[in-house]
Amino acid sequence: MSKIGIMGGTFDPIHYGHLVTAEGVRAEFNLDYVMFVPAGNPPHKKRYKITDPQHRYLMTVLATVTNPFFEVSRIEIERQGFSYTVDTIKELEKRFPTDTELYFITGADAVLEILTWKEVDRLLAMCKFVAATRPGYEIPELNKKIAEIEKTYSQKIFLVEVPAMAISSTDIRRRVSEGRPIKYLLPESVEYYILKNNLYK
Ligand code: ATP
Ligand code: MG
């Protein structure tokens, strides 16, 4: 039986917060590997103009090359319309052997929002949910929310503590646009990719 982690995100751009989270959860649950799934057209993110999926995909590939347990999937960026996680998981389920266990990895902020996601009951039944800690989100508050979701949907949600990385893509985009440094917040290859392609200016 294999155990596969699914790490969804906009990855605009990918940074060490994403990578530390995925690696922490992989080790904790002894996952075979983690599949990063850059979102195509995320329904939740309409506040700013999202970078071309091709750039986000390539940055995710660059950031993950040094980890033999990380892979990147084009499943969402190739799909038309909004990317709903439940549709992605349904599609992935068909591709893996039936005894595969899927672990869906999210940060604390995302788990607080999952009740607004499409077919959340179905989603929670299809995969194990892992909520990773994230700076700015208190563990007691998280535990409370998790208990609520667990009660409503009769599904367990796992809370995993990962090293605190006070990094967000929003902050990185802002830094680039203001000409402030992004060094050491994300892999060097991604930093150079951003500069070379003049992203976030
Ligand atoms: P943005 O600021 O554009 O929302 P982000 O940094 O939150 O970007 P996303 O692509 O939105 O990155 O996040 C993808 C997933 O990674 C989400 O589940 C999010 O909670 C998680 N995540 C992002 N940054 C961190 C971090 N620093 N620590 C833990 N989890 C994180
Ligand atoms: Mg986010």
Side-chain angles (χ1 to χ4, degrees):
M1 186 188 69
S2 49
K3 302 203 285 183
I4 300 171
I6 308 290
M7 177 90 193
T10 316
F11 305 131
D12 194 11
I14 188 163
H15 53 69
Y16 283 131
H18 301 126
L19 296 164
V20 158
T21 298
E23 181 66 359
V25 174
R26 182 195 69 75
E28 175 93 14
F29 292 95
N30 202 13
L31 305 179
D32 294 292
Y33 63 92
V34 175
M35 182 183 269
F36 284 71
V37 184
N41 191 1
H44 288 285
K45 295 223 175 174
K46 287 171 240 152
R47 286 165 280 124
Y48 76 98
K49 199 177 171 302
I50 293 165
T51 306
D52 186 274
Q54 215 48 251
H55 283 315
R56 293 185 290 105
Y57 169 75
L58 287 173
M59 288 190 281
T60 308
V61 171
L62 286 173
T64 53
V65 280
T66 52
N67 191 327
F69 297 109
F70 286 176
E71 282 187 17
V72 187
S73 166
R74 299 180 57 87
I75 186 168
E76 283 201 3
I77 64 176
E78 277 168 4
R79 197 192 306 137
Q80 297 296 312
F82 285 135
S83 334
Y84 292 103
T85 302
V86 68
D87 299 332
T88 302
I89 301 292
K90 278 184 208 162
E91 216 171 308
L92 287 174
E93 266 194 333
K94 287 187 231 152
R95 298 188 189 180
F96 297 130
T98 44
D99 61 350
T100 307
E101 274 187 352
L102 296 181
Y103 289 71
F104 192 82
I105 306 165
T106 67
D109 55 314
V111 86
L112 295 177
E113 283 176 4
I114 66 168
L115 295 182
T116 66
W117 293 11
K118 184 184 164 193
E119 294 174 46
V120 61
D121 46 341
R122 178 107 189 251
L123 184 61
L124 288 167
M126 283 193 295
C127 47
K128 296 188 190 300
F129 249 77
V130 185
T133 51
R134 182 172 186 175
Y137 299 85
E138 300 300 325
I139 294 179
E141 190 207 340
L142 259 178
N143 273 325
K144 208 176 128 205
K145 187 72 187 179
I146 286 174
E148 253 174 65
I149 302 171
E150 286 180 331
K151 201 170 157 219
T152 313
Y153 295 101
S154 313
Q155 298 287 345
K156 170 127 189 77
I157 293 179
F158 301 90
L159 181 68
V160 173
E161 274 194 64
V162 298
M165 295 278 184
I167 306 173
S168 73
S169 303
T170 302
D171 180 53
I172 291 174
R173 292 191 299 273
R174 191 178 304 130
R175 283 169 171 269
V176 174
S177 76
E178 293 172 355
R180 289 190 293 132
I182 57 170
K183 222 177 234 323
Y184 315 123
L185 300 176
L186 73 186
E188 211 167 40
S189 52
V190 179
E191 180 193 343
Y192 284 119
Y193 186 95
I194 291 170
L195 292 174
K196 181 171 175 178
N197 293 283
N198 215 14
L199 304 181
Y200 313 123
K201 280 294 177 194

